[in-house]
Amino acid sequence: MNAYDHQSIEAKWQRRWAEQGTFRVPNPGEPGFDPSRPKLYVLDMFPYPSGEGLHVGHPLGYIATDIYSRYQRMRGRSVLHPMGFDAFGLPAEQYAVETGVHPRLTTERNVANFTRQLRAFGLSYDWDRCFATTDPGYYRWTQWIFLRLFHSWFDPDAGRARPMATLLEDLEAGRRLAGGRPWADLDAAERHAYLNGLRLAYIDEVPVNWCPGLGTVLANEEVTREGRSERGDFPVYRRPLRQWMLRITAYAERLLADLDLVDWPESIKAMQRNWIGRSEGARVLFPVEGSPEVIDVFTTRPDTLFGATYMVLAPEHPLVDALAAEVWPPGTPIGWTGGAADPRQAAAAYRLRASGRSELERQAETREKTGVFLGRVAVNPVNGASIPIFLADYVLMGYGTGAIMAVPAEDERDWEFAEAFGLPIVRTVQPPEGWEGPYTEDGPAINSGFLNGLRVAEAKPRMTAWLEEQGCGTAAVSYKLRDWLFSRQRYWGEPIPILHGPGGELRPLGDDELPLLLPEVEDYRPRTDLADDAEPEPALGRAPDDWKTVALNGVVYRRELNTMPQWAGSCWYYLRFCDPHNREALVGAAAERYWMGERGVDLYVGGVEHAVLHLLYSRFWHKVLYDLGHVSTPEPFGRLFNQGYILADAFQDERGVYLPADEVEEQDGRFTYRGRPVTRSFGKMGKSLKNSVSPDEIFVEYGVDTLRLYEMFMGPLDSSKPWTTRDIVGVHRFVLRLWRALIDPGTGALRVDEAPADPELLALTHRTIAAVTGDMEDLRFNTAVARFFELNNALVARERVPRFVAEAFVRLLAPFAPHLGEELWERLGHSTSVALAPWPDFDPGLAAEDTVTMVVQVNGKVRDRILVPAGIGEEEARSLALGSEKVAAYLKGGEPRRVVVRPPNLVNIVVP
RNA sequence: GCGGGCGUAGCCGAAUUGGCAUAGGCGCCGGACUUAGGAUCCGGUGGGCGUCAGCCCGAUGUGGGUUCGAGUCCCACCGCCCGCACCA
């Protein structure tokens, strides 16, 4: 085997790694564990094992983390680098609906296929730690965490979660009141309701995103701005349902503040901050004339209270029925009635209309303001003015209190509504001369009594203080973030381990009853044929009766039939990798402290698409586990890096339908598919654009190492870049040339010289080591590969390569092209894996060249280059530069005005 | 509208603190090997001039500014990408 034969080399080393367990890493307490080695946890966002398999875009991040892991191992770190599968979820279930094949079988098949493909990339995972979220041994602990959420509450005084048991003790001992009442005074139903109102996992009747196309409800994060499902692009409708919720809002402040603790891309932090959506302001209470009710509003502009000329409730606001008057007050404008005979009918009709429309339809109405008058007025607490109360869908129940004070002069939406309904507009901030329309900028307060003359920033706290003095308001913080809707009506998810008693009481399973396994069903289809107002039936409703009901002590309980969303399994998988076979705990304490110590996962690499879904949910669960003492760091992922996407040409016919890109032919810059002209576009490689490139052909033609090098060479890891199969040959030529530089193609003999390297090559080698080492730390793999090319270009002309250079080069290259690295390392005479060899050191003294080219500038333009000793002094450099003949031409015998000397690189001579 | 980011050669991209702009690759041009090559190997590749060592000039989206010196810092503008968006 003298010529480079990637197929046999790659097969040989993948086999040997598996046989020798090269990348197995022991836990504390296990044989081979070396406590002197500092740990490093390098994690990929694990994939959903789809039926399509991998294309060349998928492994970009995996290759990067693999290189980083291999590099850090060579630097002596104990590296945890695992891989697993996020295997619950819709595609396997959709397939089951269509074919009747159990999702478990589909999942197992896909996991096997993915594992095979990932192994083919030569990735250095510790495969002994591999699991899927669908393994009962794993989801047992997902259910266990759910029970911890159920058994915990967020103590606002402590600012953290605590077990319900401690709350009950306090309540029973009278140290704490339940909603202002002694615990003993509450009956069973009241106690149940009170505790449910505090649990981190609780049931509530809430307006949900019901997606008939998927037969399930979705979290807000899973609904696109067009009001469609992120997965499948089906329409989503709002409807109220009793559902499991997780109280993520309790953690809003910590999820926001702790972003300062982590090393994440600023854009991801910004997206999370934006999603949490903190805003400061005040709650203001508005009494209602002729009613005992009080309307509670949130405003960020308490300073504009004097300008509040009407109020608006969201259509779903709970006070609507109580407030709607029986008859229209005399003089009610016809435009305020919605054409209804009385306010109650108007409100009912409006509410029905609002609920029946999807988000998409609401968008389509171009934000035209609609609403109806409730026939009742509130009292503005600051000036006693009577202001009408409206119902309008531009106010959202899900934000603030679901009710607003409307200040048309200082709010665009309120202005539009006021114009449409003929409501008064009172300016309370003085706009610039000639200003028309709402004014939302800073200015002096006017028409505002005790606030007059104050700027906005001064007026806000003044008004808040006044409200607090008067007892009709308080400073307040509001968040956009809402509680996490946690129920799904699908089959292929973790069953929720809760029983429902005959009186509606909840009985959680005990930890010893886990895992609660999924029952077998004959039909996976969601019930979508139901009437609009019927309760959607979960898929587990078709489970056998002996699964659905449980008799305990003569009481018959019904099992919870909803399952968990796909995000549940991925919320904590990084913890399980630390200790995947532990049967006593979700993760052993010693393993958790060792692998997660300091800053959690040391490097977490994945796509930006998980910016607010997975990463926010995961942080939330982690903080709960932290509060309850199960993990030791406040944040799970210390450093996050988003790899870019791989893009590729895509082709569409005249209808816009995407055509298989690999069947499109190019001729003279025109593209055709089966003879018909097609248009070219560009986008993320994948199934939807039909522009995937399979790695298999590239493996055959060029090999894994070439593909790995190419993907790293394409550009910076964090930017998206186009796939160009044509460009791979450049990297492949490098591999061939390197092989030829070290191995004689005729005899197969090593072309290594035992004599020391000449100073020039030695310096280049040391510079390469220095540069590549720096590139590794910063994940700049594209420039590292470029350094390989440069060093290689210096070797190809030589008959023999000095051993020092060869051994350094092979070790630098090994993380990128591990099979080639191993083969060359072995041929260089080493019997142990290059993966365990020490990373080469560089000598800064040797890396520096003895002589450097000093640039001589005149007025900032390069006019001469002089070879000088690297250690040249300032005076010497100055006189050398001034002595240059080329400079003399610009000096014209005169004196330079100024000479800037930066030895040994540059002298800049300033002349008039 | 709000927030984050990006504009360098024919293309992908490099330039760590302001200091030789364009490393490295593709493509292209020329040559070698060859029946042939779209494989492989060697050389060239911003423009202009020149007898191959050379000389001159231009250029980092646009326009200003700071500086001896700006791709890099500051201001304004243009274009592109991403996220959020009736969030009170």
Side-chain angles (χ1 to χ4, degrees), chain A residues 142-161:
Chain A
T142 309
Q143 292 170 329
W144 184 89
I145 295 170
F146 179 86
L147 290 176
R148 298 288 82 69
L149 290 160
F150 180 80
H151 286 303
S152 305
W153 66 297
F154 191 85
D155 182 346
D157 299 327
R160 64 181 187 86

Side-chain angles (χ1 to χ4, degrees), chain A residues 35-109:
Chain A
S36 70
R37 290 185 140 205
K39 71 93 182 184
L40 193 81
Y41 190 173
V42 181
L43 184 64
D44 296 298
M45 289 185 186
F46 67 166
Y48 176 82
S50 72
E52 286 80 37
L54 293 174
H55 61 66
V56 295
H58 286 119
L60 182 71
Y62 304 157
I63 296 169
T65 53
D66 189 60
I67 290 167
Y68 189 70
S69 297
R70 288 172 178 272
Y71 160 71
Q72 292 287 3
R73 266 185 220 111
M74 293 173 78
R75 301 220 67 167
R77 307 292 285 268
S78 169
V79 178
L80 177 58
H81 187 45
M83 177 49 84
F85 299 98
D86 187 18
F88 275 126
L90 284 174
E93 185 169 340
Q94 298 285 52
Y95 187 74
V97 167
E98 289 160 24
T99 65
V101 177
H102 196 289
R104 190 187 308 113
L105 296 178
T106 311
T107 301
E108 281 168 4
R109 197 170 60 215

Side-chain angles (χ1 to χ4, degrees), chain A residues 11 48 96 138 219 223 238 260 316 343 549 584 597 621 635 668 712 829 890 906:
Chain A
Y48 176 82
Y138 179 82
V223 180
R238 304 287 294 179
D260 293 339
E316 305 87 357
T549 58
E584 310 302 320
W621 278 33
E635 283 286 328
D668 308 325
M712 293 301 102
Y890 293 92
L906 176 138

Side-chain angles (χ1 to χ4, degrees), chain A residues 519-800:
Chain A
E520 299 299 319
V521 299
E522 282 171 12
D523 186 354
Y524 306 96
R525 265 176 300 171
R527 294 284 300 275
T528 56
D529 52 342
L530 301 162
D532 280 353
D533 53 350
E535 287 275 308
E537 187 189 45
L540 291 185
R542 300 178 190 204
D545 284 343
D546 62 358
W547 187 88
K548 286 195 290 185
T549 58
V550 180
L552 292 169
N553 301 327
V555 181
V556 177
Y557 291 87
R558 289 174 297 108
R559 279 203 198 277
E560 170 67 42
L561 298 180
N562 287 297
T563 52
M564 301 188 199
Q566 187 174 4
W567 310 105
S570 60
C571 263
W572 72 281
Y573 73 111
Y574 58 94
L575 291 173
R576 191 64 179 171
F577 279 139
C578 297
D579 198 9
H581 309 298
N582 194 323
R583 300 174 67 87
E584 310 302 320
L586 78 165
V587 57
E592 191 277 331
R593 272 198 306 274
Y594 179 68
W595 292 118
M596 291 295 291
E598 300 285 319
R599 56 204 301 247
V601 175
D602 296 281
L603 178 64
Y604 192 28
V605 175
V608 71
E609 68 270 19
H610 294 113
V612 287
L613 286 156
H614 160 60
L615 288 171
L616 195 65
Y617 295 154
S618 215
R619 295 179 62 217
F620 163 49
W621 278 33
H622 192 88
K623 287 184 182 304
V624 175
L625 293 172
Y626 175 72
D627 288 351
L628 299 177
H630 301 293
V631 299
S632 52
T633 63
E635 283 286 328
F637 313 118
R639 182 183 180 194
L640 174 73
F641 193 95
N642 293 119
Q643 93 274 14
Y645 296 119
I646 288 190
L647 311 172
D649 287 335
F651 299 93
Q652 290 163 283
D653 63 16
E654 60 281 357
R655 294 167 302 166
V657 175
Y658 284 98
L659 304 165
D662 52 358
E663 293 174 38
V664 171
E665 293 173 35
E666 179 184 0
Q667 222 169 17
D668 308 325
R670 306 175 99 97
F671 298 92
T672 56
Y673 174 73
R674 295 183 182 167
R676 300 202 315 272
V678 296
T679 55
R680 181 167 66 154
S681 59
F682 191 57
K684 184 182 166 189
M685 185 179 285
K687 192 175 63 155
S688 56
L689 302 190
K690 292 191 183 168
N691 59 352
S692 294
V693 175
S694 161
D696 296 336
E697 301 149 39
I698 293 160
F699 286 165
V700 171
E701 191 164 359
Y702 300 107
V704 175
D705 286 333
T706 293
L707 180 59
R708 289 170 57 116
L709 282 165
Y710 172 63
E711 295 214 6
M712 293 301 102
F713 184 63
M714 291 171 78
L717 187 60
D718 58 357
S719 54
S720 293
K721 49 234 159 195
W723 179 265
T724 321
T725 301
R726 184 177 77 186
D727 289 1
I728 297 174
V729 297
V731 179
H732 191 59
R733 284 178 194 144
F734 156 75
V735 172
L736 295 175
R737 290 206 285 178
L738 174 64
W739 181 269
R740 217 168 39 244
L742 296 177
I743 307 291
D744 187 305
T747 66
L750 265 185
R751 304 174 63 160
V752 167
D753 193 342
E754 302 299 334
D758 57 275
E760 199 184 330
L761 181 59
L762 194 64
L764 175 62
T765 306
H766 279 281
R767 278 205 308 279
T768 303
I769 298 170
V772 172
T773 303
D775 289 339
M776 288 295 199
E777 297 291 342
D778 298 338
L779 311 180
R780 292 191 311 248
F781 301 127
N782 55 325
T783 51
V785 176
R787 299 285 183 179
F788 296 152
F789 288 2
E790 279 179 296
L791 181 56
N792 195 39
N793 288 344
L795 299 183
V796 288
R798 292 167 185 264
E799 266 305 302
R800 296 199 157 271

